[in-house]
Amino acid sequence: MGEFELIATYFKRDVKRAALGVGDDCALLAPAPGMQLAVSSDMLVEGRHFLATVAPERLGHKALAVNLSDLAACGAKPLAFTLALALPRADAAFLEGFSRGLFALADAHGCELVGGDTTQGPLNICITVFGEVLPGQALLRSGARAGDELYVSGTLGDARLALEVFRGTVSLAGDAFDAVLCAMEQPQPRIALGLALRGVASSAIDVSDGLAGDLSHILQRSGVGATLDVDKLPRSEVLRAQPLALQRLCTLAGGDDYELLFSAAPSRAAQVRAAAARAGVPVTRIGRIDAEASLRLHDAQGRAVSNQFDSFDHFRS
């Protein structure tokens, strides 16, 4: 199978919202009048971001999900995406599964594939997503203010727990392993929640590299500090069954959660609950924003917890 047959067979589809899709040197996007474009790129490299054992359909899902998660954190509505794909070989079984998982998620969020590139090489997936948002409505990392409350969506830590199983430090089997593996390989981008939080949240970020590290980006951009109650961090029953030290490692430094971490003024608490209800996603209040710089951790009894939780860094990890 040649390059252009590969594209035509697995990735060329008619577009409905874009002015021009796959097939020309450039795609032509048509955002709604008055909208700003929100743009984000993420790269997934085999052995670094995913294991060789992942099912192609799940890999297609995750490749787009991690990008859509950035749009969610910005409060942007998905519009389109491009795909740059390096493949060791043109494997029909892989491509069929990968494209099926990719397009299932794309269709669920009305996000069209409008272009990209293919080449031969080590398995590498790079997606750029485009969303739209009204001027002044984008959620940013820089809006947190002292006194704001901190929230996170969903649960944290299951993806890291799955990784520890693969590393051989934890043993899980049956339904418990299937659940954490699904969290690792099929994260759900919180698009509906991000849209519902526009005008409600004062800052937001998606949790991709670990809660503590990703929160530090908000604190730095906003010029504030924070206090977290580590025992309030939401976690699954599977993770709760693990030793406390492992629970804290997974929830604070696990990464690959793709939940939304955001701040909001206390006066917005009812609106936060309403936004979560509309999106069908649970949110948990986990701490507060402080005027004093740095991040402080404490447990349910108010005792200080040492902050030794680093986020993932591609060049240090």
Side-chain angles (χ1 to χ4, degrees), residues 37-157:
L37 275 179
V39 184
S40 182
S41 295
D42 267 302
M43 182 184 301
L44 298 184
V45 178
E46 185 178 39
R48 192 65 171 170
H49 301 96
F50 60 91
L51 301 175
T53 55
V54 64
E57 187 168 355
R58 287 190 169 192
L59 182 58
H61 171 102
K62 184 171 183 176
L64 183 57
V66 303
N67 286 269
L68 291 177
S69 185
D70 287 332
L71 292 185
C74 192
K77 182 179 180 180
L79 180 63
F81 69 101
T82 61
L83 167 67
L85 182 62
L87 296 164
R89 60 191 177 280
D91 182 288
F94 173 87
L95 287 162
E96 196 281 327
F98 179 87
S99 60
R100 184 171 62 247
L102 179 82
F103 285 126
L105 186 63
D107 291 344
H109 292 284
C111 195
E112 299 179 318
L113 177 61
V114 295
D117 192 20
T118 55
T119 190
Q120 187 174 30
L123 185 54
N124 184 309
I125 307 154
C126 184
I127 286 179
T128 297
V129 286
F130 304 87
E132 56 186 14
V133 62
L134 281 168
Q137 285 199 4
L139 303 177
L140 307 177
R141 299 176 181 183
S142 55
R145 298 292 179 264
D148 285 355
E149 296 176 321
L150 276 170
Y151 297 85
V152 71
S153 64
T155 59
L156 302 170

Side-chain angles (χ1 to χ4, degrees), residues 246-264:
L246 181 59
Q247 292 184 45
R248 289 179 176 173
L249 173 68
C250 290
T251 53
L252 286 162
D256 252 8
D257 295 305
Y258 300 102
E259 296 293 349
L260 293 189
L261 170 66
F262 62 96
S263 60

Side-chain angles (χ1 to χ4, degrees), residues 146-235:
D148 285 355
E149 296 176 321
L150 276 170
Y151 297 85
V152 71
S153 64
T155 59
L156 302 170
D158 277 357
R160 176 58 181 268
L161 185 58
L163 180 61
E164 293 303 320
V165 174
F166 283 109
R167 287 175 170 173
T169 65
V170 175
S171 179
L172 289 177
D175 291 343
F177 177 64
D178 290 343
V180 298
L181 183 63
C182 185
M184 180 185 188
E185 296 181 342
Q186 288 187 292
Q188 299 301 316
R190 302 304 191 183
I191 293 290
L193 180 60
L195 295 174
L197 287 172
R198 292 186 303 194
V200 177
S202 56
S203 69
I205 191 172
D206 74 324
V207 182
S208 56
D209 296 325
L211 180 76
D214 288 324
L215 176 56
S216 71
H217 297 309
I218 287 180
L219 304 186
Q220 290 167 7
R221 292 293 297 272
S222 299
V224 293
T227 300
L228 280 186
D229 184 339
V230 298
D231 290 331
K232 285 187 177 179
L233 299 180
R235 67 209 79 174

